Amino acid sequence: MDQQYIKEHKIGVPYEGFAEFTRKVAAEGVVLLKNDKNVLPLQKGEKVSLFGRAQINYYRTGTGSGGSVNVLYTSNIVEGLRTKKDVELNENLVSVYEEWIKENPFDDGGRAWAAEPHCQKEMPVTDELAKEAAKHSDKAIVIIGRNAGEDKDNTPGEGSFLLQQEEINTLETVTKYFDKVVVMLNVSNIINMSWAEDERFKDRIQSIIYVWEGGIEGGNAVADVLVGDVTPCGKLTDTIAYQLEDYPSHENYGDADVNLYREDVYVGYRYFETFAPEKVQYEFGFGLSYTTFETSTNAQVIVDKDSQSTIKLQVAVKNTGATYAGKESVQVYVEAPQGKLGQPAKKLVTFAKTKVLAPSEEQNLVIEFKVADLASYDDSGVTGHKSCMVLEAGEYGIYVGSSVRNCVRVAFKTSTGDKTGYVVDELEVVAQLQEALSPIKEFTRMKPGKRLDNGAYELTYEAVPTRSYSMKDRIEKNLPPTYPQTGNKGITLRDVADKKATMEEFIAQLTTAELATIVRGEGMCNVKVTPGTAAAFGGVGDSLFGYGIPLGCAADGPSGIRMEGGYKATQVPIGTLLAATWDAELIEEMYVFEGKELLRNEVDTLLGPGMNIRRHPLNGRNFEYFSEDPIITAKFATAQVKGILAGGSTGTLKHFACNNQEYRRSFVDAVVSERALREIYLKGFEVAVKEGGANSIMTTYNPLNGFWNASNYDLNTTVLRNEWGFNGIVMTDWWAKMNDPIEGGEGTATNTAAMVRSQNDLYMVVANDGAEINTWNDNTVESVKNGSLTIGELQRCAMNICEFLMHAPVFGRKQDFSSSVQFYSPMEKKVEDGEVVNIAKNNQVPMKENGNSIIEAKAGTYLLVGKVRNNKGNEAQSACKLLINGETALVMQVNGTDDKWTLIRLTRVELGDGQYEIGLSGMTDDMKIEHIEFRDIE
Ligand code: BGC
């Protein structure tokens, strides 16, 4: 894409109205945990002092691919509050912070991959400063900032999960002089909250509020909440326990090689409410408002028959406060009978949210769900129905309320009289499925024992059932047909779309080499698609393109479009905040804007939603995800995907599945029972496929029960396609590993035959222009030759990819790469002295750290090749811009090379006779570029 095209098509121009909408969302995801004596909202005429640098250095997002959106601006909290005329900001204190920040600038780790620290150095708050501030203000707000991200898990210590000493000092000093203190958390995920109970300042911290990271409008949104323009209505989607060690996954998290998921389905509140209620500081679903609500419920079973029945709840919610309008979420939980399987004490079934209710206003909500949604998976056969979704006999208590604890059991009206729950007389099989993905390794998992006096259950363990079928038989019995290869018969993909030929006839034309090419995505920063994006796929290479297969474009995600090189997009709040709204319709509406922005930027799929389960608070990517709960995850992923589809593009569900830690993410084996997979870790994906219409999925880096997900047959074929009916593409994560889907063994990044066999369609990514000539040196063609992969299996992936592209926005775009050479005219003014490199004599142009190089060229077309190194590992993603005469010639990807010099092919340019200035911009600390070669190709 050349600069003119980029301008003409408004690439890099954020979509109108999108930012404004994100502000509304950012405010609604705020979670108020404490608000003694109604210290918030700030009242008219009140003066407020802000402490903590995040008031200025506001975190709008987490780090890594999921956060790297180039934005036009980020509103911070100071700016947000300045627009609120009714309250007065202590500007003297703001200036003190501004001055200090000048001396102590924000440490972004040189913008290198995963290098930004978890927290920033904080300004020491002296007694004088706090005392002086207190003289002039009524209230203080202490803002704590934290960050984490991809390849950068949180750490258990100070400055990450715990407060750093300077923050504790600030709390001590500020609470000495102020008796009305608000602590605000501008964080990417929950942190330890023991300070909230600390006797030293407990009573003076009257309010605690999680504002998370709210995207570009986050600062404004925070101000909206602080002054009461918006009443907080967010709720936690995680349990905050007193200590990290309290989380059920803790002892089996963070290993380098294997993590046993021994907590099984007892993730988050499902564990705490069942076994350890005393360990909870703030419960799942909790969040306060400036007003109060009363909720009353009537329950009714619509067709009182079987699992196909619908349960209908009529919930009346009334704003019982006198001053503030607000919204309330209504949460529905089930307490299923323990039966033979064992059950969490409570499980979220569904939820809804009211509109903004004025004081005394009431709304009647109708919330419906299927009895089948209450079923569980029997992976052992203990109920007599192995591999089935079952409803065990007994009474299912249904609870409605505003958190997992603040909820009331509802009475049922049924045809056989009033009941205290939904009664299943005899075990019912809801669905007969097929054993899949079961572990090979033996281990034990949690199960409730007898009920204790305090209502909790004794914690016991049982053996997890291991795999009882032959993967070899399963794969061999289900081999797809091979369509005899015909060679080029002149059928194009357009002919298939126009129904002039079938997809099978079209695909049959491709040679084995072409089929092996189409399963390779190229990137990052492929110059043929939107600059600075993650991948180009489909029509990679001249021959595929010649068949009319377009070149699709994929970009990160999920919080906005990541375009390296400075192209701008709208950044929405982090996933944690989105889910904390408990308002899936609102998020769907916001993602319609995203879909439109994707369309404008010619991106065919956003690499998001990120939707892994927050199994443990230290996972660096928790900010991209929604919750510890699968139903929350399912609803928000579905909302995102539907919104993007409605806006005109598509979303890619990731990471499928169990990417629950960043440390050693390409190696660590997640060992999980089939039940936990189906009820917890796969649930969100299932719903987003079945109800959201998702047509693109990214697998994870890690293996699951011994098989790398990028080549996991049960995951990508048995469950995803055969059971859920998914009809779309599956791609690997970037430079992922695969192992044999039958034998297992070591994972390697070139075993694309294993990938294809499992029906993971696309390898992301090989070098740009490298797909056709197999620069990655993968084993696809060789495996067809030696008979370990069939042509039919390859054709099946090729069809999936073409089918996707036929329905993607790119199919309606004009693409022409024949004139992909950019022309540059020489500088008007010649440089007389200095070191001018004559590229006819020496085509290697040294790249200087500061300043540009001048070249003398003779007219011609040149292929640019860079000699680069990056001191990080292969998965590190860094990019910069190559400038010719100050104009962007391309965004170049310099991902990790383990600090070895490497040559990378860049782009072709046409130059006239004369001098040119060659430079770089946006270099990050991890990369070095020695020279750019100008290879004359005419
Ligand atoms: C991340 C993915 C991301 C991809 C492309 C990987 O490092 O895990 O989530 O979409 O890179 O940037």
Side-chain angles (χ1 to χ4, degrees):
M1 261 184 206
D2 61 33
Q3 292 301 312
Q4 202 188 334
Y5 184 93
I6 287 169
K7 275 197 201 107
E8 272 170 22
H9 289 79
K10 288 192 164 176
I11 306 280
V13 179
Y15 198 83
E16 298 72 20
F18 191 1
E20 290 76 1
F21 200 93
T22 68
R23 176 172 178 168
K24 192 158 130 182
V25 172
E28 293 208 9
V30 160
V31 180
L32 183 65
L33 291 185
K34 180 176 182 183
N35 200 25
D36 289 354
K37 301 198 187 117
N38 297 328
V39 70
L40 286 180
L42 302 171
Q43 299 298 316
K44 201 168 180 169
E46 272 186 346
K47 294 181 185 142
V48 59
S49 286
L50 301 183
F51 293 90
R53 70 183 298 159
Q55 60 182 286
I56 295 161
N57 297 143
Y58 170 77
Y59 284 110
R60 68 166 192 278
T61 187
T63 56
S65 62
S68 306
V69 180
N70 286 301
V71 295
L72 281 173
Y73 64 91
T74 303
S75 69
N76 67 28
I77 298 168
V78 167
E79 289 157 359
L81 276 176
R82 279 184 184 145
T83 64
K84 304 293 181 190
K85 296 298 168 221
D86 286 349
V87 296
E88 198 181 310
L89 194 55
N90 177 351
E91 288 287 353
N92 286 341
L93 185 57
V94 174
S95 315
V96 173
Y97 270 97
E98 278 169 348
E99 286 309 308
W100 185 83
I101 287 173
K102 272 190 207 148
E103 300 297 311
N104 299 275
F106 185 89
D107 175 5
D108 65 0
R111 292 181 39 254
W113 183 252
E116 187 182 303
H118 293 109
C119 71
Q120 298 288 318
K121 187 176 159 194
E122 270 300 343
M123 181 180 90
V125 175
T126 61
D127 280 83
E128 294 69 46
L129 188 69
K131 198 169 167 186
E132 183 61 22
K135 264 200 242 156
H136 303 288
S137 11
D138 306 287
K139 291 171 181 170
I141 303 180
V142 180
I143 306 162
I144 309 281
R146 275 298 176 283
N147 221 356
E150 183 173 357
D151 249 345
K152 184 97 185 168
D153 284 323
N154 297 284
T155 64
E158 288 180 13
S160 183
F161 193 59
L162 304 179
L163 294 190
Q164 51 175 326
Q165 191 53 48
E166 204 57 69
E167 290 160 343
I168 296 179
N169 298 347
T170 302
L171 287 182
E172 264 193 313
T173 316
V174 172
T175 51
K176 217 193 285 176
Y177 298 99
F178 285 83
D179 56 3
K180 291 180 181 141
V181 179
V182 177
V183 176
M184 180 185 282
L185 299 151
N186 172 208
V187 293
S188 51
N189 50 237
I190 54 167
I191 60 166
N192 174 279
M193 300 289 286
S194 53
W195 48 269
E197 313 271 325
D198 191 320
E199 290 302 333
R200 286 175 294 174
F201 25 75
K202 183 175 164 193
D203 295 336
R204 295 190 150 221
I205 298 178
Q206 296 188 328
S207 180
I208 299 173
I209 186 163
Y210 267 94
V211 299
W212 315 112
E213 297 174 343
I216 53 175
E217 283 289 335
N220 286 330
V222 167
D224 292 341
V225 172
L226 287 177
V227 302
D229 289 350
V230 176
T231 297
C233 54
K235 310 270 179 185
L236 292 176
T237 60
D238 291 304
T239 309
I240 302 185
Y242 285 101
Q243 297 181 48
L244 204 51
E245 295 71 29
D246 294 336
Y247 287 89
S249 54
H250 188 71
E251 59 178 317
N252 290 293
Y253 172 85
D255 193 80
D257 303 307
V258 181
N259 282 321
L260 303 178
Y261 284 42
R262 294 189 71 206
E263 73 279 15
D264 209 52
V265 295
Y266 303 92
V267 179
Y269 71 90
R270 293 170 189 236
Y271 164 82
F272 290 110
E273 298 307 309
T274 314
F275 301 110
E278 72 288 354
K279 291 183 175 165
V280 176
Q281 190 172 359
Y282 300 99
E283 80 262 20
F284 178 84
F286 177 72
L288 300 170
S289 169
Y290 295 154
T291 186
T292 48
F293 297 95
E294 211 174 73
T295 300
S296 56
T297 309
N298 285 320
Q300 201 190 353
V301 183
I302 302 289
V303 189
D304 189 5
K305 204 168 45 157
D306 54 17
S307 62
Q308 294 316 310
S309 305
T310 299
I311 293 178
K312 184 171 171 181
L313 304 173
Q314 278 165 329
V315 187
V317 185
K318 184 172 181 187
N319 181 348
T320 48
T323 319
Y324 299 100
K327 292 183 170 183
E328 175 67 321
S329 68
V330 176
Q331 307 170 20
V332 181
Y333 295 90
V334 61
E335 181 183 4
Q338 284 296 323
K340 291 190 171 133
L341 289 172
Q343 294 290 348
K346 295 253 169 54
K347 297 190 279 188
L348 185 72
V349 183
T350 186
F351 56 90
K353 199 162 181 182
T354 65
K355 61 180 186 177
V356 177
L357 296 175
S360 300
E361 196 183 354
E362 187 170 313
Q363 187 182 0
N364 289 312
L365 296 170
V366 177
I367 304 175
E368 287 186 354
F369 58 92
K370 288 227 150 30
V371 168
D373 295 344
L374 309 178
S376 293
Y377 186 74
D378 181 0
D379 58 3
S380 67
V382 67
T383 68
H385 301 275
K386 187 167 155 48
S387 309
C388 291
M389 294 298 297
V390 295
L391 283 165
E392 289 201 81
E395 190 176 70
Y396 290 69
I398 302 295
Y399 293 78
V400 174
S402 61
S403 82
V404 70
R405 291 201 172 162
N406 185 23
C407 54
V408 175
R409 188 163 176 142
V410 296
F412 272 75
K413 286 193 193 0
T414 73
S415 52
T416 51
D418 289 357
K419 304 247 166 67
T420 53
Y422 178 81
V423 179
V424 174
D425 294 324
E426 253 177 63
L427 178 139
E428 197 186 322
V429 173
V430 172
Q432 168 72 63
L433 305 174
Q434 184 182 21
E435 181 188 336
L437 286 159
S438 35
I440 295 167
K441 201 179 176 71
E442 291 185 357
F443 68 114
T444 57
R445 64 178 170 193
M446 287 183 184
K447 188 173 184 194
K450 58 177 186 303
R451 196 143 201 189
L452 307 172
D453 293 343
N454 65 357
Y457 289 85
E458 180 196 12
L459 176 57
T460 66
Y461 287 85
E462 66 172 6
V464 176
T466 49
R467 196 212 265 178
S468 65
Y469 58 97
S470 155
M471 186 66 87
K472 186 167 185 290
D473 289 354
R474 181 170 287 182
I475 293 181
E476 286 173 0
K477 272 197 200 124
N478 289 297
L479 279 179
T482 292
Y483 301 99
Q485 288 166 299
T486 59
N488 191 340
K489 298 186 105 185
I491 307 169
T492 64
L493 191 58
R494 177 67 56 193
D495 294 332
V496 180
D498 293 345
K499 308 229 171 342
K500 291 184 191 145
T502 64
M503 182 62 91
E504 290 74 12
E505 286 163 342
F506 173 71
I507 290 295
Q509 299 176 105
L510 305 186
T511 63
T512 306
E514 284 167 339
L515 290 167
T517 304
I518 201 171
V519 299
R520 300 176 187 128
E522 290 183 354
M524 306 170 78
C525 302
N526 189 301
V527 292
K528 292 181 185 165
V529 295
T530 308
T533 52
F537 62 98
V540 284
D542 296 337
S543 67
L544 292 174
F545 194 70
Y547 279 109
I549 302 172
L551 194 58
C553 173
D556 280 308
S559 70
I561 310 174
R562 173 186 179 200
M563 288 174 282
E564 293 292 343
Y567 298 93
K568 304 288 188 283
T570 307
Q571 184 149 42
V572 308
I574 59 172
T576 309
L577 186 152
L578 302 184
T581 64
W582 288 67
D583 191 342
E585 280 106 53
L586 182 75
I587 302 312
E588 183 172 334
E589 226 181 302
M590 185 180 76
Y591 270 87
V592 176
F593 281 99
E594 186 67 68
K596 291 181 177 166
E597 197 167 289
L598 287 161
L599 209 55
R600 170 179 289 178
N601 285 287
E602 306 196 347
V603 176
D604 299 290
T605 189
L606 182 79
L607 301 175
M611 51 185 296
N612 294 88
I613 294 293
R614 288 208 288 259
R615 178 176 179 244
H616 190 273
L618 294 189
N619 182 9
R621 296 188 88 169
N622 279 343
F623 80 95
E624 295 182 52
Y625 306 149
F626 300 117
S627 179
E628 64 186 20
D629 176 81
I631 301 305
I632 292 274
T633 303
K635 298 254 188 209
F636 283 94
T638 302
Q640 263 192 42
V641 169
K642 278 170 107 176
I644 296 175
L645 286 169
S649 188
T650 71
T652 296
L653 312 180
K654 72 185 186 185
H655 308 88
F656 193 45
C658 298
N659 187 109
N660 298 320
Q661 74 181 46
E662 288 300 285
Y663 171 58
R664 298 254 307 166
R665 60 182 173 160
S666 295
F667 302 90
V668 65
D669 190 16
V671 178
V672 198
S673 80
E674 194 189 352
R675 177 177 177 197
L677 283 170
R678 289 181 177 277
E679 292 187 21
I680 308 284
Y681 296 99
L682 301 185
K683 188 76 200 171
F685 292 94
E686 178 181 358
V687 175
V689 166
K690 290 181 176 168
E691 291 170 24
N695 59 357
S696 177
I697 291 198
M698 182 193 298
T699 47
T700 63
Y701 283 116
N702 60 286
L704 169 59
N705 289 329
F707 295 89
W708 265 264
N709 282 336
S711 57
N712 193 323
Y713 183 85
D714 270 351
L715 187 72
N716 300 315
T717 296
T718 313
V719 173
L720 176 66
R721 300 185 195 257
N722 297 353
E723 199 184 286
W724 301 347
F726 175 78
N727 196 359
I729 47 168
V730 179
M731 63 183 77
T732 66
D733 203 337
W734 271 229
W735 312 289
K737 292 187 191 342
M738 285 81 55
N739 65 349
D740 190 276
I742 294 170
E743 306 298 335
E746 208 192 318
T748 62
T750 50
N751 194 354
T752 43
M755 171 192 91
V756 169
R757 170 147 276 200
S758 82
Q759 223 178 152
N760 181 325
D761 308 301
L762 278 161
Y763 189 76
M764 297 296 203
V765 284
V766 306
N768 293 322
D769 286 329
E772 212 169 35
I773 52 176
N774 192 15
T775 49
W776 192 249
N777 221 354
D778 67 39
N779 68 354
T780 306
V781 173
E782 159 198 327
S783 304
V784 170
K785 281 193 191 138
N786 70 26
S788 55
L789 181 70
T790 70
I791 289 174
E793 287 171 295
L794 251 180
Q795 288 173 328
R796 179 170 65 175
C797 288
M799 287 196 269
N800 292 337
I801 297 167
C802 289
E803 192 68 43
F804 175 88
L805 287 168
M806 241 166 49
H807 299 101
V810 68
F811 210 55
R813 280 199 304 269
K814 242 187 141 155
Q815 287 186 315
D816 175 11
F817 304 126
S818 56
S819 60
S820 67
V821 181
Q822 292 184 55
F823 176 75
Y824 291 89
S825 17
M827 299 190 297
E828 283 175 9
K829 232 171 120 199
K830 272 204 157 197
V831 173
E832 297 302 340
D833 36 59
E835 296 162 29
V836 175
V837 185
N838 185 331
I839 55 170
K841 294 194 188 123
N842 174 14
N843 69 5
Q844 294 186 356
V845 180
M847 287 292 108
K848 302 175 184 162
E849 291 215 348
N850 304 307
N852 300 331
S853 295
I854 306 292
I855 62 166
E856 181 79 44
K858 74 173 175 44
T861 304
Y862 296 87
L863 171 68
L864 271 45
V865 173
K867 184 169 176 188
V868 305
R869 72 195 285 175
N870 180 310
N871 62 19
K872 299 276 165 63
N874 186 49
E875 287 156 22
Q877 306 170 359
S878 299
C880 65
K881 283 204 286 195
L882 178 73
L883 308 174
I884 300 184
N885 292 347
E887 257 187 62
T888 305
L890 88 155
V891 180
M892 58 194 274
Q893 175 73 17
V894 185
N895 60 300
T897 67
D898 287 317
D899 219 12
K900 291 191 196 88
W901 287 111
T902 313
L903 290 183
I904 55 170
R905 188 188 151 115
L906 299 172
T907 187
R908 288 181 301 166
V909 293
E910 194 183 325
L911 305 177
D913 277 323
Q915 286 188 346
Y916 297 82
E917 202 175 3
I918 311 296
L920 299 167
S921 91
M923 293 279 289
T924 56
D925 276 5
D926 47 357
M927 65 164 89
K928 287 210 160 37
I929 299 175
E930 192 197 79
H931 65 246
I932 302 288
E933 269 177 51
F934 281 68
R935 295 187 186 168
D936 192 345
I937 51 174
E938 290 229 312

